[in-house]
């Protein structure tokens, strides 16, 4: 349980916790950027604590590869935000 897998067509092939749609990158971001404790992530997402640490170990063993996923995701976020209408561009009836 808690094995790290990559499946084409699931989360864009990103490494994730088996049988879950929670990527290794998501776990790292919750812990590093949102400063959540590993125990909190495990409790909130109904995961074993060992799965959290397995994901962190996987990340640190594959930092370069997973950094690419993080950059791609951030680029998609920026592009998506740029495409959203702003109050000034919304047509009024």
């Amino acid at each position: 349980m808690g094995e790290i897998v990559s499946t084409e067509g699931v989360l864009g092939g990103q490494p994730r916790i088996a049988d879950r749609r929670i990527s290794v990158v998501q776990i790292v971001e919750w812990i590093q950027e949102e400063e959540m404790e590993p125990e909190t992530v495990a409790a909130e997402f109904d995961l074993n604590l060992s799965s959290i640490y397995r994901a962190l170990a996987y990340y640190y063993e594959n930092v370069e590869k997973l950094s690419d996923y993080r950059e791609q995701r951030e680029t998609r976020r920026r592009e998506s935000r740029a495409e959203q209408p702003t109050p000034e561009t919304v047509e009024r009836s």
Side-chain angles (χ1 to χ4, degrees):
M1 185 174 206
E3 177 185 1
I4 304 301
V5 299
S6 295
T7 307
E8 193 62 38
V10 178
L11 296 179
Q14 286 187 56
R16 63 184 173 82
I17 296 177
D19 300 324
R20 301 298 298 271
R21 292 184 57 86
I22 300 175
S23 74
V24 169
V25 169
Q26 285 175 308
I27 290 171
V28 170
E29 289 176 346
W30 289 326
I31 293 170
Q32 287 183 349
E33 296 172 15
E34 296 186 27
E35 299 180 358
M36 293 175 72
E37 294 296 325
E39 295 82 3
T40 302
V41 174
E44 286 196 23
F45 297 96
D46 193 29
L47 296 166
N48 292 323
L49 189 56
S50 62
S51 297
I52 301 300
Y53 284 109
R54 197 169 287 118
L56 291 170
Y58 184 92
Y59 176 80
Y60 287 111
E61 291 168 355
N62 299 280
V63 171
E64 189 171 311
K65 174 183 171 185
L66 294 177
S67 291
D68 291 342
Y69 281 115
R70 291 177 85 173
E71 288 177 28
Q72 290 170 6
R73 195 165 91 190
E74 188 55 37
T75 298
R76 284 193 305 271
R77 282 183 187 164
R78 281 193 302 271
E79 289 170 354
S80 177
R81 285 184 189 130
E83 293 171 4
Q84 298 299 314
T86 61
E88 297 82 31
T89 61
V90 174
E91 290 185 30
R92 298 175 194 238
S93 348

